[in-house]
Amino acid sequence: MIDSPSPEPGHTGSPPAPLLVAVARGIALVVVVPLRLIWELVAAVGGWLHRWLLAPVGRFLDRWLLRPLGWLLRMLLWVPLVWLGRGLGWLFRTLVWVPLVWLGRGLAWLARTVVWVPLAWLAYHLIWAPLRWLGRVLAPLGRLLLAGLAAVRRWLAAAGRVLLHALAWAWWAAGRLLWWCYALTLRPFVLAAGWLWRNAVRPVGRAVAAAWRATVSPAVRRVRRAVVDPVRQATREVLAALGLRG
């Protein structure tokens, strides 16, 4: 039975109501006690089943079924498969891999002995040795040719310098000759023409211009004011009177 909680020491309080205590005890009797009894019953039945049924059955299956079945599978399946794999590996190594290795080594030896060595010997004696001999023979000719080319280059450079100097001197001589021709032939005429222009033509021109401004220009202005302007004005008036001028 569930007793009502007692008040803590040092604290005073009113006791719970009798109705609440009765309700709590009734709930405990109706719910908690049956659940506890059911749990104890299930635990007892489960323990009995495990001890007298499940554990013996498990030991029986492990000892008389699973272990013999595992031994049979190992002896009848796994071990034969292992030996079969080892046998196949030995057969592959003996019948395939080793012959292929020996075949590759033989082919390599044949290629080196029958192909590479003769080709190297032929290349050395038919190509490299003749080329080296030809190089030794042609080396003096090459050096002589290079020396000749160098000499020709030096000669051409010297000839070019001489030609440039000759052209420069010819240019200078032609310039001096033209200068002297100009100085001895045209320059006196140019100087004389300049002197004549400054001392004769220009003063005469200035005198003519002054005479023109003193005589002709005033006469022209007087004629224009005395004759031309009145005639122009009369003509305009006549045309205006006749209605011929807009």
Side-chain angles (χ1 to χ4, degrees):
M1 297 179 65
I2 301 174
D3 297 332
S4 61
S6 60
E8 295 181 0
H11 295 277
T12 59
S14 60
L19 181 60
L20 293 177
V21 173
V23 171
R25 290 179 178 179
I27 292 173
L29 290 174
V30 173
V31 177
V32 176
V33 173
L35 289 177
R36 181 62 180 271
L37 292 176
I38 292 171
W39 174 255
E40 293 293 339
L41 179 61
V42 170
V45 172
W48 184 85
L49 289 175
H50 179 269
R51 181 177 181 182
W52 299 103
L53 181 61
L54 297 178
V57 171
R59 288 193 296 270
F60 174 79
L61 292 176
D62 178 66
R63 183 176 300 175
W64 300 104
L65 181 61
L66 296 179
R67 290 184 182 180
L69 183 60
W71 183 84
L72 288 176
L73 290 176
R74 181 176 180 276
M75 300 304 296
L76 298 179
L77 184 62
W78 177 252
V79 174
L81 287 177
V82 170
W83 283 102
L84 179 62
R86 292 178 180 178
L88 292 177
W90 181 83
L91 288 176
F92 177 78
R93 181 179 180 277
T94 305
L95 300 179
V96 178
W97 179 252
V98 174
L100 286 178
V101 170
W102 283 103
L103 180 61
R105 291 179 180 178
L107 292 177
W109 181 83
L110 286 176
R112 180 180 179 277
T113 306
V114 178
V115 178
W116 176 251
V117 174
L119 285 178
W121 186 87
L122 291 175
Y124 178 79
H125 289 86
L126 297 180
I127 298 176
W128 175 249
L131 288 177
R132 186 172 61 179
W133 177 82
L134 185 62
R136 291 178 180 177
V137 171
L138 295 178
L141 295 177
R143 288 192 292 269
L144 182 61
L145 180 61
L146 291 177
L149 291 176
V152 170
R153 182 179 61 83
R154 289 193 296 270
W155 294 341
L156 290 177
R161 288 193 296 269
V162 171
L163 181 61
L164 288 177
H165 292 162
L167 290 176
W169 183 84
W171 180 263
W172 176 82
R176 298 300 297 177
L177 180 62
L178 291 175
W179 165 252
W180 283 110
C181 290
Y182 167 75
L184 296 176
T185 56
L186 296 178
R187 191 167 181 270
F189 291 101
V190 172
L191 294 177
W195 181 86
L196 183 63
W197 174 264
R198 289 191 303 271
N199 296 287
V201 177
R202 184 182 293 176
V204 171
R206 289 178 179 177
V208 171
W212 180 271
R213 288 193 299 271
T215 58
V216 177
S217 295
V220 170
R221 286 195 295 270
R222 285 194 295 270
V223 170
R224 187 180 61 185
R225 286 195 298 268
V227 178
V228 176
D229 290 342
V231 171
R232 184 184 300 171
Q233 184 66 28
T235 303
R236 289 178 180 176
E237 292 177 356
V238 171
L239 292 176
L242 294 176
L244 298 177
R245 185 177 180 184

